[in-house]
Amino acid sequence: MTYDPDNIFAKILRGEIPSTKLYEDEETFVFMDIMPRADGHCLVIPKTPCRNLLDASADQMTAVMKTTQKIAHAVMKAFGAEGVTIQQFNEAVGGQEVFHLHFHVLPRHDGVRLRPPGKMEEADVIAANAEKIRAALA
Ligand code: AMP
């Protein structure tokens, strides 16, 4: 399995398609999921190429996990969440649809199920949720 430099997250990293950015550092980038399964659903990716956990280097994993923990705390605070779900899929049969390593961060509330995948959210709702997470990160 090889890395496709034209996958959608590589295009986001190059600024070729828009994203709602929440955070970045030297090694990682965080943005809102456009089809959120919970309010505040966002994605953490490395800035360097790798398909998924199976070909990621130890350094890529370390950087992405550090940022995932930081964002998990931020979404808990931003949404008054009682828990947070972290999801990560590997290869098509493992549920992966975009082939650039990413971790989903999903704030959770008691009794509220994740929404089904595949439904686009309104841009203004995503923008408002992003603002809450940015404020929690500040
Ligand atoms: P998966 O590869 O199964 O972990 O899922 C890919 C995720 O990327 C899904 O949750 C999609 O909603 C999300 N996604 C796809 N395209 C974009 C995009 N242009 N901007 C933000 N999120 C996206």
Side-chain angles (χ1 to χ4, degrees):
M1 295 292 183
T2 55
Y3 181 79
D4 172 11
D6 285 327
N7 75 75
I8 202 148
F9 294 170
K11 289 182 179 176
I12 284 175
L13 282 169
R14 291 196 296 266
E16 293 168 9
I17 61 167
S19 68
T20 305
K21 178 177 130 181
L22 297 173
Y23 171 85
E24 73 178 312
D25 59 27
E26 213 169 290
E27 294 161 294
T28 63
F29 186 84
V30 185
F31 57 105
M32 298 301 285
D33 196 299
I34 44 165
M35 294 178 259
R37 301 193 59 198
D39 290 341
H41 180 178
C42 56
L43 301 167
V44 180
I45 66 175
K47 286 185 172 175
T48 49
C50 63
R51 273 176 77 83
N52 53 43
L53 176 143
L54 300 170
D55 66 337
S57 68
D59 285 349
Q60 284 173 316
M61 290 300 296
T62 301
V64 167
M65 289 316 304
K66 275 188 186 167
T67 300
T68 298
Q69 185 182 40
K70 183 185 184 77
I71 300 300
H73 284 298
V75 299
M76 292 276 296
K77 186 175 166 194
F79 295 93
E82 294 139 339
V84 59
T85 297
I86 306 299
Q87 285 184 324
Q88 192 274 320
F89 305 106
N90 300 282
E91 300 301 331
V93 295
Q96 187 175 11
E97 290 179 355
V98 178
F99 296 94
H100 180 108
L101 175 66
H102 54 278
F103 281 77
H104 298 256
V105 180
L106 299 132
R108 303 299 301 274
H109 295 88
D110 191 27
V112 180
R113 290 182 176 214
L114 292 181
R115 299 193 283 267
K119 187 172 177 291
M120 291 279 284
E121 183 55 276
E122 300 294 332
D124 58 339
V125 173
I126 289 185
N129 287 338
E131 209 40 64
K132 289 185 191 171
I133 300 171
R134 289 191 201 105
L137 281 166

